[in-house]
Amino acid sequence: MTQADLPLASAVRDPEARITNPLRRRRAPGMVENTPVLNILTHLILLTGMIILLFPMYLVFNAATLSLQEVNAQPARLLPGDQFWNNIKEAWVTRDFGQKFLNSLIVAVGVVTGKIFIACITAFGLVFFDHRLRMPIFWAVFITLMLPLEVRIVPTYAVAANALQPFQTILDWTGISWFIQTVSGIEVALEWNMLNSYTGLIVPLVATATGTFLYRQFFLTIPDELVEAAKMDCAGPLRFLAEILVPLSRTNIAALATIMFVFSWNQYLWPLLIITDPNYGVVAVELGKLVPDTNTTGGAIPNWHIAMAGTLIVTVPPVIVVIFMQRWFVRGLINTDK
Amino acid sequence: MANIDIRQVRKSYGKDEVIHGVDLTVNIGEFVVILGPSGCGKSTLLRMIAGLEDISGGEISIAGTVVNDLEPRQRGCAMVFQNYGLYPHMTVAENIGYALKVAGMKKPERLEKVRAVAKSVGLEEFMDRKPGQLSGGQRQRVAMARAIIREPKVFLFDEPLSNLDAKLRVQMRHEIRRIHNRIKATSVFVTHDQHEGMTLADRMVIMNKGTIDQVGTPEEVYNRPATVYVAGFIGSPAMNFLSGQISAEQSVILLADDSRIEIASDAARRHAGALVQLGLRPEDMTLCAPGAGHLTGSFDFYEELGSSGLYHLMIEDVPFTVLSSIKPRFQHGDQVGVLADLSKLHVFGAKDGVRIDMDEQVIRQMEPAE
């Protein structure tokens, strides 16, 4: 018997062995009409859509290849020039994108990791433990969807300026700080300043209602028998989370990570507000500064070619992440990989 | 290896009590099957033994230790689930060995054990497959192997065969019995399939609406059902029931159509005037000429079963079946006589449904005890 014969032989020995390929998707036959005319038509529609979507991107790329004169020429030139690498280099060097890139990466990775961890552990507590606060907590988390950072930016800034301020207030109100001062002579002044730090850039963005909801919905699809099997196998709750739920939610993690990476990479308002030290600057804010206005150019000809080159640089990481995660991303959202 | 003691166990969900004080002892190494229709509380009882369900009242002890407040992991039970409960992201080998991994066993030792157990259930070729790539029967075997490898004090089976097709079910049934004979672990098996129960059990427990109707060997349960419910539930095709009254003067049971079934005078005197349900299994009767047997009915229709045929009659508007290996032909509406084997007559109180013994010998044996 050769190696190639083996699977066949075992299938014969065990007649009920139906070997199915889990990666093969089942598609309902007859649901999709398959005629050449319709095929061409649908492809034409898709092509049109793609052109419409990609045209602005092309304009960005095109502008990034032109020189200062060409980019400001009337009528606009639609064919690429030869200044691409010069413009890229110019944008990278003048704006110190190296450091900013690193900062943005640190922040994006930090936010993504934090979000996934918080979402996972919150949903775990909401789904697998039976306690009275289950629904109130779920709704409390869910309601924060209505309070994005932009809405609560002033109080968030206050907290970031001194994260311990709420505790200080409690101590002052209850008279504990007065008591401590009279007894020991030490003045209670708690302070934890998060402005101009990675912590300040990351922590306020970490809580995520969307992620918690996504995870909750996924955990709800886990069959009870799996939970019970783990209980019978003597696995504790944290073990169950780490060794069974997390591996099973890989696609969810991928989907969440993709969305959240793009989200945190594109953060503009928050870094703009709390970062004054250029060492902690992120690319989105830096890109804003690159866009020519009377301040930056001093009334001279606007240098759009450099701004567009910068835009291209900044766009690259999210695009790479989306391209590589796309497969997992879609699977995680439609949740068929069980 | 351990015995299980269940004393006055109750289970309620809010105000609804679903198990009303159940007593049961499972001896060391015994294979007990809990049989009942869906919703009778059999799975709940099993899950209470496993610790997956709280016990509302009473006590369960395993090997002499009360386990009411112990976590599942402290009870030393292994369970095979209806939908197998396999971890979809782990290979067969990882699934089987997971409990040992949790217990902290070193990898080489673990792999060796997994291999041995997998071999014993015929899975050695599939060690690296994921559960999604296995057939129902193979998944079932993985679930079994996962339970076996822990060498538990008690094996619990929650309708493990109900997701398999008929042929495979019989095959797995034999396999489970073979495994039990080999490792002799105390086992509790829940099912709604009487064939599964009859063939697997050392002793059967018949549950009905949250109470136990009868505990006994499959033979006892079949030959001497304790209640009308058990009598009707066990046996296929099902037992026939006719209502009647015991008449002491003539030592007979008078039926609605005025036919008479002779019974022992002793028993007739004891239960004079009692309204009863008469139970006769289709296989304990033969067909004869009208008037020649104990009963007469009109022929309704016939079912071919291969080795025998099932005759559906109507006796005074009550459907009645007789199993016969000689297959006479009748027309619809023909009068047919039925001759019953009176030694296999079952009599139950019409009100409480409890068995009334007609057998002289049994009655005599019972007398001194009173």
Side-chain angles (χ1 to χ4, degrees):
Chain A
M1 200 194 295
T2 63
Q3 275 294 328
D5 286 334
L6 271 170
L8 191 70
S10 69
V12 170
R13 203 173 315 143
D14 196 349
E16 80 265 13
R18 262 165 287 141
I19 299 128
T20 51
N21 179 0
L23 291 177
R24 195 189 300 148
R25 284 282 117 70
R26 218 176 282 155
R27 198 167 286 141
M31 286 287 283
V32 181
E33 262 189 77
N34 219 347
T35 60
V37 178
L38 271 178
N39 271 350
I40 293 168
L41 197 70
T42 44
H43 278 92
L44 276 178
I45 294 173
L46 284 174
L47 207 65
T48 324
M50 199 178 83
I51 290 169
I52 294 172
L53 284 174
L54 284 183
F55 189 65
M57 281 312 294
Y58 174 74
L59 284 186
V60 170
F61 169 73
N62 188 48
T65 60
L66 302 175
S67 64
L68 184 61
Q69 286 76 30
E70 286 166 329
V71 82
N72 286 296
Q74 289 292 346
R77 194 183 139 156
L78 281 177
L79 291 175
D82 54 359
Q83 296 296 306
F84 183 65
W85 293 112
N86 286 341
N87 291 343
I88 294 282
K89 198 174 150 199
E90 171 77 15
W92 184 270
V93 173
T94 53
R95 279 302 162 187
D96 187 20
F97 265 127
Q99 178 65 35
K100 304 294 172 344
F101 244 76
L102 187 66
N103 290 346
S104 270
L105 266 178
I106 290 172
V107 171
V109 170
V111 169
V112 167
T113 320
K115 271 182 191 283
I116 286 170
F117 179 74
I118 296 270
C120 180
I121 204 99
T122 313
F124 181 60
L126 286 175
V127 173
F128 292 102
F129 295 87
D130 203 6
H131 50 91
R132 231 177 259 185
L133 288 176
R134 202 163 137 146
M135 282 327 270
I137 290 177
F138 172 68
W139 283 110
V141 171
F142 205 61
I143 273 173
T144 61
L145 271 183
M146 291 192 284
L147 300 170
L149 187 72
E150 289 73 14
V151 175
R152 55 185 165 87
I153 199 150
V154 173
T156 309
Y157 181 85
V159 171
N162 182 4
L164 296 175
Q165 182 63 45
F167 299 100
Q168 175 81 51
T169 312
I170 292 171
L171 291 181
D172 288 349
W173 276 11
T174 51
I176 293 173
S177 38
W178 169 82
F179 179 76
I180 294 174
Q181 194 167 8
T182 25
V183 172
S184 62
I186 300 164
E187 194 194 336
V188 182
L190 305 171
E191 197 182 342
W192 179 20
N193 186 336
M194 292 201 285
L195 304 180
N196 283 321
S197 70
Y198 292 130
T199 333
L201 281 169
I202 293 169
V203 171
L205 298 177
V206 153
T208 167
T210 327
T212 310
F213 187 68
L214 199 69
Y215 258 97
R216 187 188 102 105
Q217 295 312 100
F218 169 70
F219 284 164
L220 286 177
T221 66
I222 299 277
D224 285 346
E225 285 197 341
L226 215 56
V227 185
E228 285 167 358
K231 272 191 201 165
M232 298 305 292
D233 275 346
C234 308
L238 284 179
R239 218 186 169 114
F240 176 64
L241 175 68
E243 290 182 359
I244 290 159
L245 286 182
V246 169
L248 282 177
S249 64
R250 269 175 316 194
T251 53
N252 275 60
I253 292 178
L256 200 58
T258 315
I259 302 175
M260 294 311 171
F261 183 87
V262 176
F263 163 85
S264 50
W265 184 267
N266 290 343
Q267 277 303 310
Y268 177 73
L269 188 57
W270 182 246
L272 182 69
L273 192 67
I274 69 159
I275 300 300
T276 46
D277 180 350
N279 284 329
Y280 290 103
V282 295
V283 286
V285 177
E286 214 49 43
L287 187 63
K289 291 181 190 159
L290 209 55
V291 174
D293 55 23
T294 44
N295 278 341
T296 50
T297 57
I301 311 166
N303 50 353
W304 280 109
H305 57 308
I306 306 295
M308 290 302 124
T311 309
L312 272 186
I313 296 173
V314 174
T315 321
V316 168
V319 168
I320 289 177
V321 167
V322 170
I323 287 174
F324 278 100
M325 301 288 255
Q326 188 190 35
R327 216 169 66 120
W328 293 99
F329 172 80
V330 174
R331 237 196 261 178
L333 285 186
I334 58 179
N335 230 336
T336 53
D337 189 52
K338 283 284 146 46
Chain B
M1 228 93 345
N3 59 324
I4 309 171
D5 244 318
I6 298 173
R7 280 190 295 276
Q8 278 303 306
V9 162
R10 291 169 187 280
K11 175 73 192 178
S12 16
Y13 294 104
K15 274 184 189 163
D16 298 329
E17 195 175 74
V18 292
I19 291 181
H20 320 285
V22 158
D23 287 292
L24 179 67
T25 303
V26 181
N27 301 317
I28 293 175
E30 198 178 19
F31 200 110
V32 166
V33 172
I34 303 178
L35 186 65
S38 50
C40 71
K42 56 188 192 304
S43 279
T44 312
L45 186 62
L46 189 82
R47 292 163 57 80
M48 285 198 285
I49 300 173
L52 297 172
E53 205 80 63
D54 288 335
I55 301 163
S56 310
E59 228 175 55
I60 294 179
S61 42
I62 297 174
T65 319
V66 177
V67 296
N68 281 32
D69 299 320
L70 294 186
E71 290 288 314
R73 70 182 103 158
Q74 297 164 304
R75 298 190 185 195
C77 305
M79 189 154 168
V80 180
F81 294 91
Q82 182 173 357
N83 298 317
Y84 322 125
L86 301 179
Y87 310 121
H89 60 294
M90 296 186 194
T91 63
V92 168
E94 285 167 342
N95 261 292
I96 297 175
Y98 187 64
L100 300 182
K101 185 181 168 195
V102 172
M105 190 185 271
K106 293 274 175 300
K107 200 167 179 189
E109 200 182 340
R110 198 167 77 213
L111 283 179
E112 200 173 308
K113 253 189 119 180
V114 167
R115 215 166 287 136
V117 171
K119 197 165 177 236
S120 75
V121 294
L123 280 172
E124 67 269 47
E125 296 167 52
F126 306 105
M127 297 295 266
D128 295 325
R129 296 253 182 99
K130 297 270 172 75
Q133 297 161 284
L134 298 177
S135 69
Q138 292 164 341
R139 283 184 216 181
Q140 184 61 64
R141 259 174 245 156
V142 179
M144 296 277 301
R146 190 167 67 165
I148 295 169
I149 201 165
R150 292 180 47 201
E151 296 166 8
K153 287 190 240 170
V154 172
F155 259 107
L156 304 172
F157 298 86
D158 190 4
E159 309 211 19
L161 304 182
S162 52
N163 280 358
L164 304 177
D165 60 56
K167 195 178 153 205
L168 202 52
R169 201 178 302 164
V170 174
Q171 201 181 319
M172 285 309 293
R173 197 162 82 196
H174 299 161
E175 225 156 293
I176 289 178
R177 186 68 224 192
R178 223 170 278 140
I179 289 170
H180 177 74
N181 289 346
R182 195 175 72 229
I183 61 180
K184 294 261 178 268
T186 311
S187 306
V188 181
F189 187 106
V190 159
T191 181
H192 59 261
D193 181 337
Q194 53 165 315
H195 295 294
E196 247 167 68
M198 298 286 268
T199 48
L200 278 172
D202 292 328
R203 277 196 306 152
M204 284 167 94
V205 176
I206 318 293
M207 281 191 78
N208 176 24
K209 291 179 189 153
T211 55
I212 289 179
D213 266 27
Q214 187 171 10
V215 181
T217 63
E219 206 184 0
E220 273 167 15
V221 171
Y222 179 80
N223 290 332
R224 300 176 44 77
T227 63
V228 173
Y229 178 79
V230 175
F233 192 71
I234 300 291
S236 165
M239 191 187 270
N240 298 293
F241 293 104
L242 295 169
S243 32
Q245 189 171 23
I246 292 180
S247 157
E249 302 94 66
Q250 297 151 298
S251 299
V252 292
I253 298 176
L254 264 171
L255 298 181
D257 66 343
D258 283 336
S259 36
R260 285 136 199 271
I261 306 276
E262 272 174 58
I263 55 169
S265 56
D266 233 18
R269 235 179 305 116
R270 195 182 295 270
H271 300 287
L275 292 169
V276 295
Q277 286 264 72
L278 195 69
L280 279 166
R281 292 198 187 277
E283 57 268 37
D284 295 338
M285 292 177 288
T286 46
L287 297 172
C288 60
H294 298 96
L295 301 159
T296 310
S298 75
F299 177 74
D300 192 7
F301 65 96
Y302 170 76
E303 268 182 285
E304 179 63 51
L305 300 178
S307 64
S308 56
L310 189 62
Y311 290 79
H312 290 258
L313 314 177
M314 296 299 279
I315 297 180
E316 288 279 307
D317 294 334
V318 180
F320 200 87
T321 53
V322 177
L323 201 64
S324 172
S325 48
I326 31 168
K327 302 169 182 174
R329 290 183 180 279
F330 298 107
Q331 294 293 315
H332 180 81
D334 283 356
Q335 292 294 301
V336 181
V338 176
L339 190 67
D341 178 354
L342 292 188
S343 69
K344 289 176 179 169
L345 183 69
H346 305 274
V347 183
F348 306 95
K351 258 203 193 124
D352 54 3
V354 174
R355 181 182 185 84
I356 300 171
D357 267 304
M358 291 291 129
D359 196 329
E360 298 258 13
Q361 224 177 352
V362 176
I363 293 167
R364 235 174 281 129
Q365 277 172 0
M366 281 163 67
E367 244 154 24
E370 281 177 10

